[in-house]
Amino acid sequence: MIQRFTMGRPIETDAVLSKPRSSDFSAFPYDHRIENNAFVFTFGMEKDDIVYGLGEAPRGINKRGWIYQSYCSDDPFHTETKQSLYAAHNFLMLGSSGIFIDFPARIVWDIGYTKADTAEIRIDGQDFDIYLITRDKPADTVREFRALIGQSYIPPLWAFGFQQSRWSYHNSEAVDRVIAGYDAADIPLDCVYLDIDYMERYKDFTVSETAFPDFARYVAEKRAQNIHLIPIIDAGVKKEDGYSVYEEGRRNGYFCKTADGADFEGGVWPGIVGFPDFLRREVREWFGEKYRFLTDMGIDGFWNDMNEPAIFYSEKGLRNALGKAASLQGENLDLSGFFALKDTFLGLSNSQDDYASIYHTIDGGQVNHQKVHNLYGACMTRAAGEYFEQAFGKEKILMFSRASYIGAHRSSGIWFGDNHSWWSHILLCLRMLPSANMCGFLYCGADLGGFNENATRDLVLRFLALGVFTPLMRNHSALGTRDQECYSFENPGDFRDIIQVRYRLIPYLYDTFRRASENNEMIFRPLSFDYPDDKIARECETQLMLGEECMIAPVYEQNVNGRYVYLPEDMTLFRLSGENVSETPLKKGVHYIEAALNEVPLFVKKGASVPLCRPAMRTALLDLEHMEYITAK
């Protein structure tokens, strides 16, 4: 059963495809109040209740015990202290009861932090829709919710191949070295990413002729090698006279405004930029068609970035900070004076004052950005997705985004943003997978090996062993960090063994993905979904069910040869390494499982089978007709 409760005049987000009739708020089952113009409601929780959801968010699968915020945030330090990441996914479940709040501004979710037995949800406004979904089982509630918001995006098959990225492969020679490195090490590869340096001075929909001369020819050469080049697109459009994209945007009034009607301008990679008002249909049509510049050159995949939107500074904020610094020149700064100055400069990026000075045009009126903040990145990606479907049909273009809101799952995937080369981030990725699936985002994954900091060889291998199962399998690292390409480490044969396992599993993973999309199901589920009466399974946060047949349990600690795994029923452990397969039938219970650095453990339910194909250097070269099956005894 789905109930919809409407308060005020909600801004249309298009998250829900078909809205049920609104119920009278007198029937709203939770205690609620208005407090400082916010709508606040509470519900009680029993000691053993599990709270699921919130999609891409910090901490665990069970959301109890912390405060979360729905507020898309450009913050690369994904620690347990944070309350939000890059996305706003406003779906929560208490057991099998679901709540979706369709509201594009800030929501604060206090899930037993202030009071252990109480959840308090604070909606920063009084114009929203709340959907309540009641089913007998959590998986049924998810299925009902997913039917409400529409079918998840399905990428092309090649997007399940292994992908290599870095900030940055500065020119064609650098890209060629990457491809040659993988080929020489006999490690499969399908995609190489182009970060911001492929552009002419960081301008969207341009290519540097110096770095990539005759880009269309180069793309064709890579496609002949079955390699896909995936360029980045940022939200901000460089302010530059003579730059056609900026000139068109300014001439047509397509950029976000300030209160006095001037274009809002902020600093990002290219310096001062204008931010397209993606909430307007005509702006989405204009910006989406700009991708044609690259698709006409043979590009068939993109990643949208910096679309929370990320703002390094505004001219006003920078001017004030520099003025404050100048006024303190020659001063003897004490503790409070120094840290006040430091905080002034740290506060330049993604400033709440700057966000509050931005205005969008909605239905002919001006709406402050803070009322629609969480829609911005989703609408940027929607612009691209709508153009791709119109121009190429479905499932032809790879598209994923950093910022997102529920509804964007119909046109793109997501990646979990600028993580770190920390062992804890293996588990952070694992725990976000089922939560993202609940909210419709099936094509997702983390930067394998970690984006920030220097990765160790064993960390990258263990991260990849989880990435074998994530639909997006991408190794990505930041400027200034050590080389993280798989062939750059000693004994690259171990990396070959892991990535070949991925290619052997692609038929199974793709079929599982497609079924989940078409049937509004999850690829990854908490063990508690399948074993609700099993106390150990209910509390398990380091293992996931995969599809109908499998369970995964990655090794996530340094300097260990394996891990303890709980089997909620009899299963067979298959250790996969390159083309080698070993099997060990195991009984229900706790087992210590050894897994070498070049092995991927996979647990298969008794009597179930998983198809494996022969590995190949590219997905286009896979033999999808002749399969080997591993069957659990």
Side-chain angles (χ1 to χ4, degrees), residues 43-258:
F43 58 83
M45 300 179 291
E46 299 296 328
K47 179 181 177 183
D48 294 329
D49 284 345
I50 300 175
V51 179
Y52 306 102
L54 297 185
E56 182 187 319
R59 298 205 168 214
I61 295 172
N62 188 346
K63 298 302 179 187
R64 292 190 68 157
W66 191 240
I67 297 177
Y68 306 86
Q69 291 197 42
S70 292
Y71 193 85
C72 297
S73 176
D74 173 23
D75 183 347
F77 294 97
H78 306 168
T79 61
E80 292 185 7
T81 59
K82 297 303 165 66
Q83 297 183 358
S84 60
L85 298 178
Y86 300 97
H89 300 153
N90 305 337
F91 177 62
L92 196 74
M93 290 200 301
L94 174 64
S96 59
S97 297
I99 299 171
F100 172 50
I101 304 174
D102 194 3
F103 178 73
R106 192 186 306 268
I107 304 175
V108 178
W109 314 75
D110 182 336
I111 314 299
Y113 174 77
T114 302
K115 295 181 64 178
D117 64 351
T118 303
E120 180 178 277
I121 317 303
R122 178 177 295 270
I123 304 172
D124 192 15
Q126 298 183 49
D127 300 283
F128 54 81
D129 282 316
I130 296 181
Y131 297 81
L132 304 182
I133 304 171
T134 305
R135 295 296 297 268
D136 293 334
K137 299 178 180 178
D140 293 335
T141 299
V142 170
R143 194 175 295 111
E144 191 87 24
F145 173 61
R146 294 266 303 281
L148 185 73
I149 60 176
Q151 182 179 336
S152 299
Y153 161 77
I154 300 176
L157 177 66
W158 57 261
F160 286 77
F162 180 65
Q163 308 178 25
Q164 180 60 55
S165 183
R166 183 174 178 84
W167 176 28
S168 195
Y169 301 128
H170 292 78
N171 53 37
S172 58
E173 290 80 8
V175 172
D176 287 340
R177 284 195 294 271
V178 170
I179 299 168
Y182 275 96
D183 286 350
D186 201 27
I187 300 175
L189 177 70
D190 265 82
C191 305
V192 178
Y193 281 71
L194 305 180
D195 212 313
I196 54 176
D197 295 293
Y198 82 91
M199 293 183 268
E200 178 190 325
R201 301 194 312 281
Y202 311 131
K203 294 187 293 186
D204 280 344
F205 311 115
T206 67
V207 175
S208 167
E209 281 293 325
T210 303
F212 292 92
D214 198 352
F215 188 61
R217 177 192 57 79
Y218 184 69
V219 173
E221 287 179 359
K222 298 307 107 180
R223 288 295 297 275
Q225 298 174 254
N226 289 309
I227 292 290
H228 301 261
L229 301 179
I230 315 296
I232 197 170
I233 302 293
D234 284 344
V237 174
K238 179 177 173 62
K239 180 181 181 180
E240 179 179 285
D241 291 341
Y243 168 38
S244 63
V245 180
Y246 175 75
E247 294 280 17
E248 289 175 19
R250 180 175 61 181
R251 182 171 62 252
N252 293 308
Y254 286 162
F255 295 125
C256 295
K257 306 297 183 184
T258 59

Side-chain angles (χ1 to χ4, degrees), residues 289-431:
E289 199 274 335
K290 292 300 176 186
Y291 287 80
R292 181 176 177 178
F293 171 78
L294 291 162
T295 58
D296 278 355
M297 296 188 193
I299 292 296
D300 54 2
F302 298 89
W303 49 314
N304 281 351
D305 197 8
M306 307 295 286
N307 53 356
E308 293 72 32
I311 304 173
F312 293 166
Y313 64 89
S314 66
E315 290 190 305
K316 178 181 178 182
L318 182 60
R319 184 169 57 251
N320 290 342
L322 292 173
K324 182 171 185 177
S327 71
L328 295 173
Q329 188 171 357
E331 294 287 329
N332 181 8
L333 297 180
D334 61 11
L335 181 146
S336 59
F338 168 75
F339 280 101
L341 178 61
K342 179 180 177 181
D343 289 345
T344 296
F345 282 89
L346 290 177
L348 284 175
S349 296
N350 309 315
S351 160
Q352 293 298 303
D353 289 341
D354 287 343
Y355 286 138
S357 69
I358 301 172
Y359 285 82
H360 300 267
T361 302
I362 299 177
D363 296 331
Q366 295 300 101
V367 175
N368 188 269
H369 175 80
Q370 292 286 43
K371 292 182 178 294
V372 292
H373 173 80
N374 293 330
L375 283 182
Y376 191 79
C379 286
M380 176 190 179
T381 300
R382 180 180 176 184
E386 288 172 344
Y387 169 70
F388 295 151
E389 183 169 351
Q390 174 189 354
F392 305 104
K394 293 184 177 181
E395 302 178 35
K396 299 294 185 183
I397 305 291
L398 170 61
M399 164 57 66
F400 59 93
S401 172
R402 194 168 76 175
S404 60
Y405 184 85
I406 290 173
H409 71 286
R410 298 191 295 267
S411 57
S412 81
I414 54 175
W415 94 100
F416 297 146
D418 297 343
N419 63 356
H420 276 66
S421 295
W422 296 338
W423 287 90
S424 63
H425 278 188
I426 296 178
L427 278 187
L428 180 60
C429 172
L430 178 98
R431 290 165 173 165

Side-chain angles (χ1 to χ4, degrees), residues 277 338 354 370 444 489 515 595 618:
D277 189 355
F338 168 75
D354 287 343
Q370 292 286 43
C444 58
F489 294 96
R515 284 198 309 271
R618 313 279 188 258

